[in-house]
Amino acid sequence: MAANPHAPRRPRRFDRNLIVIGAGAGGLVAAYLGAALRARVTLIERGRMGGDCLNSGCVPSKALIHAAAAGLDFAAAKARIEAAITAIAPHDSIARYESLGVDVRVGEARLLDPWRVAIGGEILTTRAIVIAAGAAPVIPPLPGLAEAPFVTSETLWDLADLPRRLVILGGGPIGCELAQAFARLGAAVTLVEQAPSLLSREDDEVSALLAKAMARQGITRLTGHRALAVTRAGDGFALRVESEGGGEGGPREIVFDRLLIAIGRKPRVADYGLEEIGVRLTARGTVETNPWLQTNYPHILACGDVVGPWQFTHMAGHQGGIAALNGLFGWLWRLRPQDAAVPAVTFTTPEVARVGLNERAAREKGINYEVTRYDLAELDRALIEGESEGFVKILTPPGRDRLLGVTIVGHGAGEMLAPATLALRHRLGLRKILATIQPYPTRSEALRAAAGIWRQNHASPRALAWLARLHAWRRGGEG
């Protein structure tokens, strides 16, 4: 077959070893690692350094949650958010990355072919490319939405005043976190979720516990409700919703001052040349990669939200490092990102933290398991602090101490999850956890206490009976 005369020609020489598109968590790690390994690296960002996590995601949302829990008003909460971003921004700044040896460019990147990237009128050639373009909020095709005062997780931070009536569409982690934060700040919050429960990927008892907490806060929850349209309501607007079952008297309208759309995020795959040069996408709209994060062009790799399936800052960073290494050294050897122990935390009250499988996922995968549960109402530190709501739930194969997954619900659950993540990643069973001393009184004792329950439940009746006879003999033979 004759060669295609119009096919892009691979350069004989390259300006860069690595070009990274996107300066969020994945891109920053990829660029940092590439420069640390003395590669010539260019990092391109069209917006603000730090990406969504620093500017509109993890940092501002957790600062808002903290400020609301501390009882600050909205103005003070906004000041706290700005202070948090300002404090962290130098870690992700242009100045820092240039000091590390990264060539940082601010502007729109465009892939011209598999080896050429255009930026600001200049064309750079590169041996490898890492796509770390992130994701953007999904905007549903709701009739009337475009005319309404709605915000997303990206534009929420531009609000000048606290909405008196806030409707949140979406009962996932973002929607639930922000519902509680705004309720604490004084807004009347209604949370609408199409699924039958909040945090629909979690076990039912997790969702139920969170729903009870929201009820105590006065948050109106409409689970199993579908949004139909945004309508005019006097001088304002309303969200028309309907029960998925068709009951409850038909559609109803919820008047709002602001509508927050939090129904998910979609990967950013358009407007920078992916499709034009033939990088394949999946049916879900993510960049298609193999287990080594390589696209159909082995020297073009992708990481983070643009790949998925996890939309976590920490997973983007992990993948970013792997993508950089494989981009630079894939011709010698390749690494696979690990996906067996990916922790996730929802920063609600109570916090929901999980690593590995929960019961819902285990059932969906057809994996047999047994459950060991420890209630935090039994934990001394929780009782001391008056924060005893929640539990630790461990899944193991029947009769074995190997971890399949751990779910922790309660105050500080995210911090309590760390040893479980370590144990799952390195295949440390419950016997090892039980044999590890934890300081008293701390919440870290909860996982060890759960391991103790597992051990007690799996003690051999025959061995216990033999021990009873041994001790009777040692006492001199009496019963």
Side-chain angles (χ1 to χ4, degrees), residues 94-245:
I94 292 175
R96 177 171 184 250
Y97 273 77
E98 288 182 339
S99 74
L100 295 171
V102 178
D103 170 39
V104 181
R105 307 290 185 93
V106 177
E108 297 279 350
R110 174 161 291 276
L111 299 171
L112 302 179
D113 65 36
W115 300 278
R116 294 172 176 84
V117 179
I119 171 68
E122 185 178 4
I123 297 176
L124 300 174
T125 58
T126 181
R127 276 197 169 272
I129 299 170
V130 170
I131 306 298
V138 173
I139 308 297
L142 272 181
L145 179 62
E147 292 76 36
F150 78 92
V151 293
T152 69
S153 59
E154 288 187 349
T155 60
L156 169 68
W157 316 107
D158 297 328
L159 288 177
D161 300 301
L162 177 71
R164 186 166 59 89
R165 297 165 299 185
L166 176 66
V167 172
I168 300 177
L169 184 58
I174 294 174
C176 288
E177 289 179 358
L178 294 176
Q180 288 189 317
F182 275 92
R184 286 194 178 99
L185 289 167
V189 178
T190 300
L191 184 61
V192 179
E193 168 56 47
Q194 188 168 354
S197 62
L198 305 174
L199 301 183
S200 58
R201 293 183 181 179
E202 304 298 336
D203 290 338
D204 289 341
E205 63 181 320
V206 175
S207 301
L209 194 60
L210 180 58
K212 289 180 180 178
M214 287 190 175
R216 292 195 297 267
Q217 284 186 267
I219 298 170
T220 301
R221 302 166 323 285
L222 295 177
T223 53
H225 279 71
R226 179 168 58 96
L228 301 176
V230 175
T231 62
R232 286 280 183 179
D235 293 334
F237 293 85
L239 179 67
R240 181 180 296 164
V241 300
E242 182 178 46
S243 169
E244 282 286 86

Side-chain angles (χ1 to χ4, degrees), residues 328-353:
L328 294 171
F329 302 107
W331 56 285
L332 286 173
W333 42 258
R334 296 178 297 179
L335 296 174
R336 297 178 63 157
Q338 70 92 5
D339 58 6
V342 180
V345 182
T346 301
F347 294 88
T348 46
T349 300
E351 284 186 3
V352 178

